[in-house]
């Protein structure tokens, strides 16, 4: 419990001192939030197809890249390099994104009958 609060509090503290696991947890949870937000957005605006998937992946990777290079200005080699940070939680967030996108897209495509 205290660990989760600690990571949550540090996620947006630019001066936070991280250990590897804490920072990777932070990246993981930010990526999940991004997945939910863009899954909802894609479903509501009725984005579809491979283009929607590719745009989401590029945005997701871009947000995380900016998070650790520009916001926290960390040395990525201390945390396993760009590859480790890029893949941390990527498949889980992709699954979450798809669930929200598919459910909302399906709901908005159904005809409304009264």
């Amino acid at each position: 419990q205290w660990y989760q609060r600690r990571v949550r509090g540090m996620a947006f503290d630019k001066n936070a001192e991280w250990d590897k696991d804490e920072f990777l947890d932070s990246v993981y949870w930010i990526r999940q939030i991004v997945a939910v937000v863009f899954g909802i957005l894609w479903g509501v605006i009725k984005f579809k197809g491979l283009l929607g998937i590719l745009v989401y992946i590029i945005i997701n990777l871009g947000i995380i890249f900016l998070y650790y290079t520009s916001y926290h200005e960390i040395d990525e080699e201390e945390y396993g390099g760009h590859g480790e940070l890029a893949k941390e939680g990527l498949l889980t967030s992709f699954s979450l994104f798809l669930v929200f996108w598919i459910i909302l897209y399906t709901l908005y495509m159904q005809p409304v009958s009264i």
Side-chain angles (χ1 to χ4, degrees), residues 19-88:
D19 72 11
K20 182 177 180 178
D21 289 335
E22 289 173 338
F23 192 71
L24 291 177
D25 286 349
S26 174
V27 168
Y28 176 88
W29 286 110
I30 288 172
R31 188 163 266 160
Q32 304 316 306
I33 293 167
V34 168
V36 170
V37 168
F38 282 94
I40 291 170
L41 184 62
W42 266 218
V44 170
I45 64 173
K46 300 177 185 162
F47 211 161
K48 57 183 171 179
L50 183 61
L51 180 63
I53 292 171
L54 294 175
V55 169
Y56 165 73
I57 290 173
I58 290 167
I59 289 172
N60 190 313
L61 291 171
I63 288 172
I64 295 302
F65 181 78
L66 290 174
Y67 176 70
Y68 71 79
T69 58
S70 297
Y71 187 73
H72 281 293
E73 299 173 353
I74 62 146
D75 177 16
E76 65 278 348
E77 294 306 318
E78 291 181 27
Y79 300 95
H82 290 294
E84 180 71 23
L85 290 165
K87 70 180 183 178
E88 180 66 28

Side-chain angles (χ1 to χ4, degrees), residues 78-97:
E78 291 181 27
Y79 300 95
H82 290 294
E84 180 71 23
L85 290 165
K87 70 180 183 178
E88 180 66 28
L90 183 61
L91 291 179
T92 309
S93 70
F94 182 66
S95 301
L96 189 60
F97 162 74

Side-chain angles (χ1 to χ4, degrees), residues 97-108:
F97 162 74
L98 286 177
V99 166
F100 275 89
W101 184 20
I102 291 167
I103 289 172
L104 285 165
Y105 183 86
T106 303
L107 286 174
Y108 278 97

